[in-house]
Amino acid sequence: MKILRNIVGMLVVSALTCIGPSALAKTILYVPQDNRPVDFAYTVGTAQDAGYTVITPPEKILSGAQFQGSPDKLAEWVANNAGQADAMVLSVDSLVYGGLVDSRKHNLSMDTLVQRLKRVEELHQKYKNIPIYAFSTVMRSPWAGGKGVEPDYYLTFGTDMYQLASLQAKMDTERLNPQERDNWFAIMRRVPMEYLQDWYNRRHKNMMINYRLIQDAKNGTFKYFSLGHDDNSVNTQSSLESKYLEMSGAEIPKTVFGSFPGADQLGLLLITRASNDFNNYHPKVTIIYPLGGGEKTVPSYDGQAVGKTIAAHVEAIGGTITNTERPDLLLAVNTPLTTSTSESGNFENFPIMLQSTQEFLTQIEKAVNDGIPVSIVDMAFSNGSDNTLVYGLYRDKMLYRLAAYNGWNTASNSVGYGISQGVLSKYMTADAHANMLTTQYLDNWAYQANVRDYIYRMQQKIEAGTVKKYYPTVMTELQSRTKEQIQRYAATYLGVNPKTVNVTLPWNRLFEVYVDVRPTADVSLESDVRQKIKNKELKRLAAQVEEAQKNFDEAKKKAKDGNIDPDTAQQLQNAIQAATDQYNAEQQAQDLSRKEEMAQQNRTWAPGK
């Protein structure tokens, strides 16, 4: 009877779509743009939780914090494993340049880049029945460059080069005024010509590769090609290049080619598109906003109204936007009262319930009560959550009733993840779904909006010598403090066992964190670890005081009539005082650390309220 039931079940699955994990027993070959959590671990984890087998390259050949990616080895790995896949989701940046950061810093010839791209194109000829979903990026033009993620000269001249490109972007549509022309010439005089040539030559190569990829999409090489605009603000070199690239693909159906802001969400977005294609599923999405900027909001780093960005992302997954039908997913997009966004670490991001936020939360709860999956895209602030919105979800016990929650990095990153996780959540088990939400809350809300600013302050104080570190290096100390805080948020606000939460800083920088929510409580409680280290240090220093006093007492016993030589007595007393001072200094350091931690706790609301 059991065998018969299984056979019947398989026949039903073949006739119906989108009915649960069993409908998604497919294998996806995935090449991410690097090994950062948002591109690799979080993306793969979401797909696996939705029932997919995901095969990925060895991490050692992906681009990482301390090493470049290996395009030739990646191409070889893809060729050796493509036959196992039902679909391929490929970062062309990895397969051509080595990775996203590598695409900004390489010194490769155009011939080399084209030869590598040909290997990607040949996959379609060799595996005609395996759809390829490819993504690439327009090289970013940030205001300033972080160390190691741009050419070295960008640390010195990045702001000048950004302003120069902004002026040239304006020249594409209108004339510069006299002041702008003066600024243009001044920048040209300041920035060494070899740096400008290097930057623009690399951008030109990126443009040529992307032009060819768009033609590949037009010719049917890819089932879908997504061109992401990395950190794409208004009037930048990136926005100028994106405009012309989009013009070259204007005749390609939107079901085949999409061009929109963002980079880090593209892998998961295309995995979701592959999922929908497997199941012939075209989700209907309704979008709501609170009072304020709404769809006209132009977020930092995106360069266009968020309504346009959302529409492009819905098209990318093969969905449609509806305002008249019952949706398969309600996308609740939390925008600010104005039409622009500020940083989540700013002072104004504290939990104070506004009427507009309350009404927005009421809409969300009503939809959930009506059985409509709701995914929140929290973009009231850049690079982190809105504390007021999360407080409302906490207060109303809505945190784990959502299909998905995202409020990280750029608005487009959150949009892509929010749509993707919202769609894929329907296939997840209850535990997998809860862990996905926990990960996002701890990463986007706890760390990005609250803990990260605290850790930055600790870094400055440690480097200035005003706060003590207990780990060998500054970065390991900061990682420990981060883990301690994130585990506290997990236990205090989410009711999650903190011993299931591990936290690392995988790229040895504070911009991103990796939150690993584990099925078993096998993670050390970092607050206990730190307290043991502190207690051990106090004990060691107390022993030094005791030893110094003992030395003094023994010297007195050995001396005639208890009278120690004055010089010896002074030395022994100095040793006692020095040991005592060290002990007192350690106590003061620990008291200061406790005060810093208490101040950090006061940033959020009191538990239970």
Side-chain angles (χ1 to χ4, degrees):
M1 180 63 71
K2 183 176 180 181
I3 294 174
L4 178 62
R5 186 165 60 245
N6 288 342
I7 293 173
V8 172
M10 290 173 65
L11 292 173
V12 171
V13 168
S14 68
L16 302 176
T17 60
C18 310
I19 61 172
S22 60
L24 302 175
K26 299 281 189 178
T27 297
I28 297 173
L29 182 148
Y30 174 52
V31 177
Q33 57 192 4
D34 51 44
N35 72 349
R36 287 173 299 144
V38 291
D39 295 304
F40 195 32
Y42 290 169
T43 293
V44 172
T46 299
Q48 290 174 333
D49 287 344
Y52 288 103
T53 297
V54 183
I55 53 177
T56 58
E59 192 168 352
K60 65 183 179 181
I61 63 175
L62 293 173
S63 179
Q66 305 298 330
F67 47 86
Q68 295 179 324
S70 304
D72 295 331
K73 291 180 180 179
L74 283 169
E76 182 181 359
W77 178 85
V78 172
N80 291 337
N81 291 275
Q84 304 176 45
D86 296 295
M88 289 184 268
V89 177
L90 306 177
S91 165
V92 178
D93 287 346
S94 287
L95 290 165
V96 170
Y97 310 106
L100 182 63
V101 172
D102 302 289
S103 73
R104 307 171 193 154
K105 299 169 60 179
H106 71 87
N107 292 303
L108 300 167
S109 69
M110 195 67 203
D111 286 343
T112 297
L113 301 179
V114 170
Q115 287 304 312
R116 289 174 175 175
L117 179 55
K118 283 182 179 178
R119 293 185 304 206
V120 178
E121 295 165 339
E122 289 167 358
L123 290 169
H124 174 63
Q125 297 301 321
K126 189 174 181 180
Y127 302 98
K128 290 184 179 295
N129 295 324
I130 302 176
I132 300 174
Y133 302 84
F135 61 102
S136 177
T137 57
V138 178
M139 184 175 155
R140 76 176 188 173
S141 47
W143 175 257
K147 187 175 182 181
V149 297
E150 305 288 342
D152 289 342
Y153 57 73
Y154 214 88
L155 290 169
T156 304
F157 296 103
T159 301
D160 279 336
M161 295 170 79
Y162 175 93
Q163 292 174 331
L164 178 67
S166 178
L167 292 170
Q168 293 184 164
K170 183 179 180 182
M171 279 193 287
D172 189 61
T173 56
E174 59 183 290
R175 299 181 65 178
L176 301 182
N177 61 42
Q179 182 60 57
E180 289 170 333
R181 285 199 301 272
D182 289 345
N183 291 342
W184 190 89
F185 283 113
I187 294 170
M188 289 294 292
R189 287 192 295 269
R190 279 199 301 271
V191 182
M193 184 56 65
E194 60 267 29
Y195 295 161
L196 290 174
Q197 289 176 335
D198 177 77
W199 196 60
Y200 280 108
N201 283 342
R202 194 173 294 109
R203 300 195 72 91
H204 175 72
K205 292 173 184 177
N206 177 266
M207 284 279 285
M208 293 302 100
I209 292 297
N210 282 327
Y211 271 127
R212 181 156 169 166
L213 287 165
I214 291 170
Q215 290 307 305
D216 287 336
K218 184 177 181 179
N219 296 333
T221 302
F222 306 127
K223 182 71 177 286
Y224 184 83
F225 170 58
S226 175
L227 179 64
H229 315 163
D230 189 14
D231 284 0
N232 183 58
S233 300
V234 178
N235 285 336
T236 61
Q237 187 67 24
S238 300
S239 65
L240 180 63
E241 292 166 359
S242 300
K243 180 176 74 173
Y244 283 98
L245 288 165
E246 288 172 355
M247 289 169 60
S248 74
E251 296 179 357
I252 305 175
K254 293 181 179 180
T255 54
V256 176
F257 168 57
S259 177
F260 40 78
D264 295 341
Q265 80 275 25
L266 298 180
L268 184 59
L269 190 75
L270 297 199
I271 285 174
T272 305
R273 169 60 183 272
S275 168
N276 291 340
D277 286 348
F278 287 148
N279 296 293
N280 192 27
Y281 179 48
H282 304 284
K284 297 186 289 291
V285 181
T286 293
I287 304 155
I288 62 170
Y289 301 91
L291 177 69
E295 65 181 6
K296 296 179 181 178
T297 302
V298 179
S300 303
Y301 317 108
D302 275 7
Q304 66 180 33
V306 71
K308 182 179 179 181
T309 297
I310 292 171
H313 280 73
V314 172
E315 289 168 348
I317 64 161
T320 57
I321 294 176
T322 180
N323 293 314
T324 58
E325 302 175 78
R326 180 182 174 88
D328 299 303
L329 180 70
L330 179 68
L331 197 69
V333 184
N334 184 37
T335 49
L337 287 171
T338 63
T339 56
S340 61
T341 59
S342 59
E343 294 295 311
S344 66
N346 289 356
F347 173 75
E348 63 265 25
N349 187 15
F350 57 88
I352 178 169
M353 188 57 63
L354 304 174
Q355 183 62 31
S356 58
T357 305
Q358 182 57 63
E359 291 172 356
F360 186 56
L361 288 163
T362 300
Q363 285 182 280
I364 291 169
E365 187 167 6
K366 181 179 184 303
V368 171
N369 289 339
D370 287 343
I372 298 172
V374 177
S375 177
I376 290 181
V377 173
D378 189 355
M379 50 156 287
F381 295 91
S382 296
N383 296 314
S385 302
D386 176 1
N387 275 316
T388 296
L389 181 70
V390 176
Y391 167 66
L393 295 170
Y394 170 86
R395 181 200 61 190
D396 298 341
K397 297 180 173 55
M398 288 293 296
L399 288 169
Y400 286 93
R401 297 186 67 195
L402 302 174
Y405 171 88
N406 280 273
W408 59 280
N409 214 351
T410 68
S412 57
N413 293 155
S414 288
V415 167
Y417 252 66
I419 292 172
S420 298
Q421 291 189 331
V423 169
L424 294 177
S425 66
K426 64 185 290 187
Y427 306 117
M428 297 179 183
T429 66
D431 286 345
H433 179 231
N435 285 346
M436 181 186 77
L437 286 168
T438 296
T439 300
Q440 296 306 112
Y441 289 131
L442 293 179
D443 185 315
N444 307 178
W445 169 61
Y447 182 71
Q448 301 293 351
N450 294 289
V451 175
R452 181 157 60 101
D453 185 59
Y454 163 72
I455 299 298
Y456 271 121
R457 292 199 311 273
M458 293 302 99
Q459 180 183 36
Q460 292 169 351
K461 291 183 177 184
I462 290 169
E463 291 174 347
T466 58
V467 166
K468 182 174 180 178
K469 65 181 175 66
Y470 292 91
Y471 280 76
T473 67
V474 173
M475 192 53 63
T476 53
E477 172 68 19
L478 296 176
Q479 180 171 281
S480 168
R481 288 174 178 264
T482 300
K483 182 178 178 181
E484 178 184 36
Q485 289 295 321
I486 299 301
Q487 288 181 330
R488 180 179 67 81
Y489 273 84
T492 304
Y493 296 100
L494 303 183
V496 170
N497 185 340
K499 291 186 177 181
T500 63
V501 178
N502 195 36
V503 180
T504 55
L505 301 172
W507 272 43
N508 290 317
R509 61 182 187 179
L510 302 185
F511 184 72
E512 68 248 314
V513 68
Y514 175 40
V515 177
D516 181 14
V517 181
R518 300 184 178 182
T520 56
D522 58 358
V523 182
S524 60
L525 192 62
E526 193 64 19
S527 60
D528 288 349
V529 172
R530 293 186 64 82
Q531 192 57 53
K532 286 178 182 177
I533 293 172
K534 292 175 182 179
N535 291 343
K536 184 178 180 180
E537 181 65 1
L538 278 175
K539 187 176 180 180
R540 182 184 71 83
L541 294 174
Q544 288 184 354
V545 173
E546 185 178 347
E547 181 67 19
Q549 184 64 54
K550 180 181 177 182
N551 291 339
F552 181 79
D553 293 342
E554 287 181 352
K556 285 180 66 176
K557 287 180 182 178
K558 291 179 181 178
K560 259 186 187 180
D561 302 324
N563 295 321
I564 310 173
D565 173 72
D567 290 340
T568 301
Q570 186 63 53
Q571 290 176 1
L572 292 171
Q573 288 174 339
N574 287 345
I576 294 171
Q577 187 60 52
T580 302
D581 289 344
Q582 285 185 320
Y583 180 84
N584 291 337
E586 176 61 26
Q587 282 191 317
Q588 290 173 1
Q590 293 192 20
D591 286 343
L592 177 61
S593 181
R594 279 190 289 271
K595 289 176 181 177
E596 292 280 5
E597 290 167 13
M598 288 304 300
Q600 171 61 20
Q601 291 181 29
N602 291 334
R603 179 181 175 89
T604 44
W605 60 87
K609 292 187 178 180

